[in-house]
Amino acid sequence: MKIVPLTISKGIEIRNFEIYIDARKRVAIDHLAIPERGVIAVLGASGCGKSTFLRVLANIHGPTITYNGQIVEHGHLRGDTAHLKYAMVWQVPTVFPCGIYDNLKIPLRKRKVPRHEWQAAMKEVLERTGLAPELGSAWRWTNSTKLSGGQRQRLCIAVGLLMDSDVLLLDEPTSALDPIATEKVEQIILDLGRERSVVLVTHSIGQARRISNVAAVFCMKDGYGYLCENGPTARVLYEPVAEASRRFLRMEIG
Amino acid sequence: MKLLSRHIFIVLYALLTISLVLTFTGKLVFSRTTAGVFVGTLIATVGATIVATVPAYLLAGILAGVFRVPAWVERFALMICYVLAGMPSIILGVIGFIVFCHWLGFGWSLLSAILTLVLVLFPNLIAAFVQLLKPISGRYQELARSLSIGPLEFMFRSVPRYKAAEMGELLIFGWTRALGDTAAVMLTCGTLLDMPKSVFDSVRLLNYHIYLLAMEVPGGMREARSLSFLVIVGLFVLLFAPRLIFNLWTSARQRVPFNTEEVNA
């Protein structure tokens, strides 16, 4: 397969990409560039394949999902030696039902970080996600099931950060949270976007406007979702070029 | 019932104390030959549980969707499970008698008994493991995949850690099922009362021993009663012990911090 020259020097580029579920076309993307840093908001109607796209990108999709096309990571076609790491945070905060310490140590063990460095690394991510002051020194023996929804979502982000991932994939991370917890998570996403790629699937136009640099709008056509528009957030939200995205945004904004 | 579950530790303690008191006051009678029966029963049942657990757990992983396998493998696993579950244990005993004792030439031995009990335990363990894995195979498996945890590591490292009590209960459940299944092993393990020295030795298992004492040994009823009492108390203790130990362990773990240095500082 011939690699198409990159239009961005670093980051991920997706070209001529199609995702199939049970051999039926569900998502089509002609071209999408995810820059090395910044927050890219993925908008679109329910069922147009935003979450499926994230799963395929993170390579955690099930056997019924297949795809063809190109995912170019830092100038290399993704294959068995994919060097980019992805961390995923779900709509429903999902962590293992055990201690916070036990959850945080999984990515560190996977990355073969020396055991004596674990504590410092854990403390750092807990500070960054704002969990350290809330939990105090009790975090070591606190069970993740005893955390609130917002705290659990921030723990998911903390686990993702410990994966040392280049790209953080967030699938509607604030949809189940109250406004205060949402504000905290948004602040974390904003901070993280300064140092890495954050792909944020959201239904909230306001959230996309507040924290994203780039926006991508998915629309439905003939039973499958396709990327109808992407570019700087302000331009996509206020001056959409494609008719389908204009119609979608008009319905969302009202 | 709630009161019983809350004070199960006291109930178990009382049962054990009563059996000890009854033994020392001569109410419970055990002959010396019973030692061989106990050892034989222990080896046969624990051995069968150990041998059956790993393949049953892997098959349950396939049926619960943890492993990505072709559809025919899943259908085949399901068929094995249904066929074995549908057979009465005495029929499995007959199969064991023909296959292990005669065709494979193991004779009436511990090995034949263990392999027959594996057939008996298989469908029960698979069904129980599927029940354990089904609720966690979706969301948690996706989480595991995103953390580069493969299906085997998920099955053998993550699940036993997060479901330790349930896993312990299932293994004990398998063991107690094996302890109770006299019908299947009656035809494969023999009736010798001696202490087994190898897996090819014939042994007499506990339930069958109780039956013979009660029905065919003159004056054996008293020992049969004593052994029956012991089996019931033993099963109660075995079935409740893992949950109890896990609860004590988790409550102790939640009380004691991981790093005592920081707390002291």
Side-chain angles (χ1 to χ4, degrees):
Chain A
M1 193 184 283
K2 196 182 167 208
I3 299 175
V4 182
L6 282 170
T7 52
I8 52 171
S9 58
K10 284 203 164 188
I12 309 167
E13 200 161 358
I14 293 149
R15 283 177 174 272
N16 305 324
F17 200 69
E18 286 176 341
I19 300 172
Y20 298 84
I21 300 177
D22 292 325
R24 199 176 139 218
K25 189 168 157 185
R26 296 305 295 265
V27 182
I29 299 168
D30 287 340
H31 177 250
L32 177 65
I34 300 170
E36 193 186 10
R37 290 187 185 83
V39 180
I40 172 163
V42 178
L43 299 154
S46 296
C48 67
K50 306 183 295 291
S51 301
T52 308
F53 167 59
L54 283 203
R55 277 172 174 75
V56 171
L57 205 55
N59 208 14
I60 56 165
H61 53 89
T64 53
I65 297 176
T66 52
Y67 66 88
N68 60 39
Q70 292 176 333
I71 300 179
V72 186
E73 298 167 344
H74 289 334
H76 298 277
L77 196 66
R78 179 151 93 175
D80 296 335
T81 53
H83 60 281
L84 254 181
K85 297 186 206 88
Y86 298 86
M88 181 99 185
V89 175
W90 282 270
Q91 188 175 2
V92 179
T94 310
V95 282
F96 285 117
C98 58
I100 292 175
Y101 179 90
D102 294 320
N103 271 294
L104 292 174
K105 80 178 183 188
I106 297 169
L108 294 171
R109 201 186 62 223
K110 281 280 155 198
R111 282 172 46 212
K112 295 187 171 64
V113 173
R115 199 172 274 260
H116 64 269
E117 292 175 17
W118 285 11
Q119 198 176 317
M122 287 179 189
K123 273 188 176 172
E124 192 197 324
V125 291
L126 288 173
E127 286 286 347
R128 291 191 68 182
T129 50
L131 282 169
E134 287 174 26
L135 298 171
S137 61
W139 67 271
R140 287 165 195 284
W141 56 95
T142 302
N143 198 300
S144 62
T145 52
K146 289 184 179 161
L147 299 179
S148 68
Q151 286 176 326
R152 215 176 299 164
Q153 195 61 289
R154 282 182 282 148
L155 179 62
C156 293
I157 295 173
V159 172
L161 289 179
L162 285 175
M163 285 291 283
D164 198 23
S165 55
D166 293 353
V167 183
L168 192 61
L169 306 170
L170 307 167
D171 189 2
E172 297 179 48
T174 57
S175 62
L177 305 183
D178 65 77
I180 294 166
T182 300
E183 194 188 348
K184 285 178 185 170
V185 172
E186 280 183 2
Q187 189 55 49
I188 294 165
I189 296 169
L190 208 55
D191 291 342
L192 292 173
R194 295 194 185 103
E195 62 187 51
R196 68 187 78 202
S197 298
V198 179
V199 181
L200 169 75
V201 168
T202 180
H203 277 296
S204 163
I205 305 279
Q207 187 173 58
R209 195 178 53 230
R210 283 194 296 275
I211 60 175
S212 72
N213 318 98
V214 180
V217 183
F218 280 74
C219 297
M220 289 295 283
K221 182 176 80 179
D222 302 332
Y224 68 88
Y226 72 104
L227 181 66
C228 56
E229 182 146 7
N230 77 95
T233 305
R235 206 266 301 150
V236 170
L237 294 185
Y238 297 114
E239 297 157 23
V241 178
E243 177 55 34
S245 62
R246 201 179 301 150
R247 205 166 46 241
F248 167 75
L249 291 167
R250 199 169 49 230
M251 278 191 292
E252 283 289 311
I253 295 167
Chain B
M1 203 64 200
K2 199 176 173 184
L3 197 72
L4 180 75
S5 68
R6 201 172 280 176
H7 300 289
I8 196 68
F9 186 74
I10 297 163
V11 175
L12 293 180
Y13 183 76
L15 276 173
L16 281 173
T17 313
I18 291 165
S19 48
L20 276 176
V21 168
L22 289 174
T23 309
F24 284 119
T25 52
K27 298 280 182 204
L28 295 181
V29 181
F30 305 107
S31 63
R32 283 188 184 178
T33 49
T34 319
V37 175
F38 272 112
V39 172
T41 308
L42 200 71
I43 294 171
T45 51
V46 173
T49 312
I50 290 169
V51 173
T53 297
V54 174
Y57 191 47
L58 287 172
L59 271 177
I62 290 171
L63 294 175
V66 177
F67 295 106
R68 293 177 191 180
V69 290
W72 68 266
V73 177
E74 203 174 321
R75 279 201 302 273
F76 184 67
L78 202 63
M79 192 188 72
I80 291 178
C81 197
Y82 282 149
V83 167
L84 288 175
M87 278 194 191
S89 55
I90 187 75
I91 300 297
L92 293 173
V94 173
I95 292 172
F97 171 67
I98 294 167
V99 176
F100 305 126
C101 296
H102 288 279
W103 285 0
L104 296 175
F106 298 147
W108 285 288
S109 63
L110 255 178
L111 187 60
S112 299
I114 288 173
L115 294 174
T116 310
L117 280 176
V118 166
L119 293 180
V120 176
L121 292 184
F122 226 56
N124 298 298
L125 280 180
I126 291 173
F129 281 134
V130 168
Q131 289 299 317
L132 178 85
L133 290 171
K134 262 267 155 68
I136 55 173
S137 64
R139 227 154 43 104
Y140 289 127
Q141 207 193 341
E142 212 167 43
L143 170 68
R145 245 185 265 155
S146 77
L147 291 169
S148 310
I149 296 172
L152 268 180
E153 192 184 348
F154 176 71
M155 290 271 289
F156 289 96
R157 195 164 183 167
S158 308
V159 179
R161 175 167 297 182
Y162 311 128
K163 294 276 176 188
E166 287 86 343
M167 291 284 275
E169 274 172 351
L170 283 184
L171 294 182
I172 298 288
F173 158 75
W175 185 19
T176 49
R177 178 74 213 271
L179 270 174
D181 242 307
T182 322
V185 283
M186 223 160 62
L187 292 155
T188 53
C189 68
T191 55
L192 219 63
L193 270 172
D194 289 349
M195 184 73 79
K197 291 182 178 64
S198 81
V199 286
F200 295 103
D201 282 354
S202 171
V203 288
R204 188 187 292 180
L205 298 198
L206 194 56
N207 283 355
Y208 188 51
H209 182 59
I210 293 170
Y211 167 76
L212 288 179
L213 279 174
M215 303 298 288
E216 291 176 16
V217 178
M221 187 56 93
R222 199 171 167 201
E223 193 181 347
R225 269 206 311 269
S226 308
L227 283 171
S228 305
F229 181 77
L230 203 71
V231 167
I232 293 164
V233 171
L235 281 181
F236 262 102
V237 173
L238 283 175
L239 285 169
F240 285 109
R243 172 66 64 179
L244 205 67
I245 292 166
F246 182 77
N247 286 350
L248 288 173
W249 180 68
T250 43
S251 59
R253 200 171 176 214
Q254 280 179 5
R255 275 199 301 273
V256 181
F258 281 99
N259 189 349
T260 45
E261 284 169 27
E262 189 177 272
V263 175
N264 292 339

